């Protein structure tokens, strides 16, 4: 069941008013599942229908972002997989399965962490098999700095984000300016790349093309609706991701699966989402009674940070791991990497450095 949750959460979070950024584990391309999506109307009006201090919405002065919105990079699944394999080969201190990294794609694509890791992925793959260069991609070119996972706090130094990686116990360092953003600590103390700070109770979410400009935990953030097969629309509640068709209700156009497509009403507008385009190879399936994009295989389950329910192994020079619900071989030689090796104590396998 875990493998079906990711893209459904992404679709619902966007449809309900934007993104709630997934928490990064420190930049080694593994990512936790998304938090519960915020309720746009509750954030705009308060739980009882009134805004801050029991005023009505008309009496609240709402702010919105009126500056430039950068064209942030997009994560590509094949590039993400290659980057996962390269970083696993070069970080011997990281004992986690390859699957903890590869399973993250559906959770982060089109979202704040995805923008950051898309840029890191490009850097890693450009480095090829040069482990010094690959490590530099994850430290912003600085010497590696040891840290204590879950204890060392996130930091912002100007535009530079610093987070302690749970995988390697090293600081992940990224300059948000590389993708046109700055670094901010949100209300939970998590460092995030964003446009600025905001008051969640008095910020109007807006659309820039098919990108939502939202306020998440006090940081002005972006989410790409079209990555999830949706479009950005603005209504009384502000900007949010929704279907691209005619106005509808869940009763008049219930959400359903038709082959690989989700069809039906999402956030007040009819949608036709091809899951195979949202996450290559995925299909539409039932998730707790709701149509959503799901991994098509039934041989195994993989989840970010947690890995898979199989022991990874080697098939000649290739790594055998879990992806999209299937047990598959991933060639090390095709990426110029050395042959596969097994880490029995971690139930993990990875390519080696040539």
């Amino acid at each position: 069941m875990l493998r079906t949750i990711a893209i459904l959460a992404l679709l619902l979070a966007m449809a309900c008013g934007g993104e709630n950024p997934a928490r990064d584990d420190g930049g080694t391309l593994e990512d936790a599942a998304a938090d519960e999506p915020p309720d746009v109307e509750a954030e705009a009006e308060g739980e009882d229908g009134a805004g801050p201090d029991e005023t009505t919405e008309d009496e609240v002065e709402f702010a919105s972002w009126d500056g430039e919105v950068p064209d942030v990079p997009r994560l590509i699944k094949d590039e993400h997989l290659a980057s996962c394999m390269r970083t696993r080969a070069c970080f011997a201190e990281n004992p986690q399965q390859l699957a903890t990294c590869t399973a993250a794609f559906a959770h982060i694509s089109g979202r704040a962490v995805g923008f950051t890791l898309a840029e890191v992925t490009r850097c890693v793959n450009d480095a090829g098999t040069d482990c010094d260069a690959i490590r530099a991609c994850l430290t912003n070119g600085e010497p590696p700095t040891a840290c204590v996972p879950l204890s060392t706090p996130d930091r912002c130094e100007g535009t530079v984000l610093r987070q302690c990686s749970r995988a390697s116990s090293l600081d992940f360092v990224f300059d948000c300016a590389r993708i046109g953003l700055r670094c901010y600590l949100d209300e939970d103390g998590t460092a995030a790349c964003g446009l600025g700070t905001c008051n969640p109770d008095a910020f109007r979410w807006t659309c820039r093309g098919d990108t939502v400009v939202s306020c998440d935990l006090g940081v002005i953030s972006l989410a790409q609706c079209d990555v999830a097969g949706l479009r950005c629309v603005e209504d009384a509640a502000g900007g949010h991701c929704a279907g691209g068709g005619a106005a509808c209700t869940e009763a008049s156009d219930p959400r359903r699966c038709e082959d690989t497509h989700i069809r039906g009403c999402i956030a007040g507008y009819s949608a036709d989402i091809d899951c195979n385009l949202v996450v290559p190879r995925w299909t539409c399936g039932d998730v707790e009674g709701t149509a959503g994009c799901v991994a098509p295989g039934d041989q195994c389950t993989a989840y970010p940070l947690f890995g898979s329910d199989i022991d990874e192994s080697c098939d000649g020079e290739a790594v055998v791991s879990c992806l999209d619900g299937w047990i598959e071989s991933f060639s090390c030689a095709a990426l110029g990497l050395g042959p596969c090796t097994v880490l029995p104590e971690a139930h993990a396998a990875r390519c080696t450095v040539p």
Side-chain angles (χ1 to χ4, degrees):
M1 178 61 69
L2 285 178
R3 69 179 181 275
T4 68
I5 295 175
I7 201 63
L8 176 68
L10 173 60
L11 290 170
L12 291 181
M14 288 182 166
C16 290
E19 61 149 352
N20 191 8
R23 295 293 179 234
D24 189 9
D25 81 311
T28 50
L29 303 187
E30 299 118 353
D31 185 72
D35 296 335
E36 287 299 314
D39 185 319
V40 178
E41 294 185 5
E43 291 206 355
E45 300 178 326
E47 292 183 358
D48 58 358
D53 301 323
E54 301 302 318
T55 60
T56 66
E57 183 175 330
D58 290 339
E59 294 173 301
V60 176
E61 183 179 351
F62 284 89
S64 61
W65 178 255
D66 58 5
E68 294 294 322
V69 173
D71 185 15
V72 290
R74 298 183 179 230
L75 197 61
I76 306 299
K77 187 176 180 181
D78 287 347
E79 295 174 0
H80 171 66
L81 175 60
S83 179
C84 289
M85 294 176 69
R86 295 184 196 281
T87 55
R88 281 295 179 278
C90 288
F91 280 80
E93 61 271 49
N94 181 353
Q96 294 179 326
Q97 288 189 338
L98 176 65
T100 62
C101 180
T102 57
F105 177 82
H107 297 257
I108 61 179
S109 181
R111 318 185 68 165
V113 175
F115 309 150
T116 302
L117 296 190
E119 181 68 13
V120 172
T121 290
R122 179 202 59 76
C123 179
V124 167
N125 287 331
D126 284 350
T129 59
D130 183 341
C131 283
D132 288 339
I134 287 173
R135 284 176 169 267
C137 291
L138 277 73
T139 63
N140 200 41
E142 300 178 10
T145 301
C147 59
V148 181
L150 304 180
S151 178
T152 301
D154 286 10
R155 292 89 75 206
C156 285
E157 298 175 359
T159 61
V160 176
L161 173 155
R162 297 179 183 275
Q163 295 175 319
C164 184
S165 169
R166 281 177 269 177
S168 65
S169 296
L170 298 173
D171 265 353
F172 168 67
V173 186
F174 181 80
D175 188 351
C176 297
R178 289 169 59 182
I179 56 176
L181 301 174
R182 295 182 62 84
C183 182
Y184 301 94
L185 290 179
D186 69 17
E187 293 171 357
D188 289 341
T190 300
C193 293
L195 292 169
T197 58
C198 52
N199 177 357
D201 294 321
F203 187 86
R204 176 71 63 184
W205 297 19
T206 56
C207 294
R208 295 296 183 90
D210 278 321
T211 295
V212 175
V213 183
S214 65
C215 182
D216 284 300
L217 296 174
V219 176
I220 302 174
S221 303
L222 305 174
Q224 297 164 328
C225 301
D226 55 333
V227 167
L230 301 170
R231 67 185 178 98
C232 190
V233 300
E234 291 191 34
D235 54 26
H240 58 98
C241 296
C248 61
T249 65
E250 291 285 349
S252 67
D253 191 13
R255 201 177 307 177
R256 60 201 181 275
C257 286
E258 296 181 7
D259 193 27
T260 64
H261 291 245
I262 302 172
R263 293 200 169 101
C265 198
I266 295 180
Y269 294 88
S270 180
D272 183 355
I273 300 169
D274 187 348
C275 293
N276 188 46
L277 296 179
V278 172
V279 183
R281 302 203 307 176
W282 279 33
T283 189
C284 183
D286 181 84
V287 183
E288 298 180 357
T290 301
C293 294
V294 300
D298 60 4
Q299 297 175 337
C300 58
T301 298
Y303 205 62
L305 292 182
F306 297 98
S308 68
D309 56 359
I310 65 166
D311 287 354
E312 292 181 337
S313 60
C314 295
D315 178 13
E317 53 82 26
V319 175
V320 178
S321 183
C322 179
L323 183 68
D324 300 330
W326 289 310
I327 299 173
E328 299 189 69
S329 295
F330 302 94
S331 173
C332 299
L335 297 177
L337 296 170
C340 174
T341 187
V342 174
L343 305 179
E345 67 281 3
H347 310 283
R350 77 240 349 255
C351 303
T352 54
V353 180

